[in-house]
Amino acid sequence: MTKIYTKTGDKGKTSLVGGQRVSKCHPRIEAYGTLDELNSYIGLLRAEVPEKLNQDDLLSNIQHRLFTCGAYMATDNSKPGGFSMESGITEGDIARVEEMIDSLQKELPAMKAFVLPAGSRATAVSHICRTVARRAERAIYRFLEEDTEGNTVEANVLRYINRLSDYFFVLARAITHHLGQPEVVWQKEG
């Protein structure tokens, strides 16, 4: 039996793909850890989204793309001649998400107020996915801003993660609409 624990991270360091050891607080670790968290929440969302909305194929595809993005972020591509990896995110991946956003949005009433992250469980989980996607995006940009080693991130990764947060917002609204529930909107006066 292979043990799941290695004990190599007990002192606050972890390995990147390729073997380099870095702090568990490194911005790169935060970025791919947040992508992993998003992927986990998408798994929960898949269990909650009404089947009639036909989102499972796209959500499954997103999970696979995010796993590849996580592996990409876990790889130090800045070392010439070292181990390197591409994200695998294509223009087609971005277009697929954009097309679903447009398709879902056609069925929705115009927004007249800020929508709060509330309603059904599926709606709430979609909003959690939206906020974690935004956090993942911020973590990736933080990694880029704290660049001390010439690190870069493919533009398609940044575009894709940005688009996912838009998708989860529209999906949350679509779920509410599909369930025939009113949207919970922000009231200025408590």
Side-chain angles (χ1 to χ4, degrees), residues 5-52:
Y5 54 89
T6 63
K7 300 182 183 181
T8 60
D10 291 351
K11 294 184 179 176
K13 298 276 186 179
T14 192
S15 293
L16 298 176
V17 175
Q20 179 187 359
R21 305 275 301 161
V22 296
S23 167
K24 289 186 176 187
C25 298
H26 191 282
R28 179 187 296 278
I29 306 305
E30 186 65 34
Y32 78 73
T34 307
L35 292 172
D36 186 39
E37 181 183 356
L38 174 58
N39 210 334
S40 296
Y41 277 118
I42 293 169
L44 177 59
L45 181 60
R46 288 180 66 188
E48 298 291 335
V49 172
E51 283 184 40
K52 288 187 176 185

Side-chain angles (χ1 to χ4, degrees), residues 101-171:
I101 292 169
D102 294 343
S103 175
L104 290 171
Q105 201 155 6
K106 284 181 198 172
E107 307 297 321
L108 298 175
M111 280 182 41
K112 296 181 179 171
F114 288 107
V115 177
L116 295 181
S120 71
R121 181 175 168 89
T123 299
V125 174
S126 193
H127 278 292
I128 290 170
C129 289
R130 171 185 61 82
T131 60
V132 176
R134 285 284 187 224
R135 183 159 37 91
E137 182 182 21
R138 290 190 307 271
I140 294 169
Y141 276 108
R142 191 173 305 111
F143 163 70
L144 288 171
E145 286 180 6
E146 294 184 13
D147 172 16
T148 57
E149 304 168 11
N151 295 322
T152 61
V153 174
E154 294 171 13
N156 279 351
V157 170
L158 296 165
R159 291 178 54 221
Y160 187 72
I161 302 303
N162 182 276
R163 219 61 87 244
L164 288 182
S165 58
D166 297 332
Y167 165 67
F168 291 122
F169 177 75
V170 173
L171 180 57

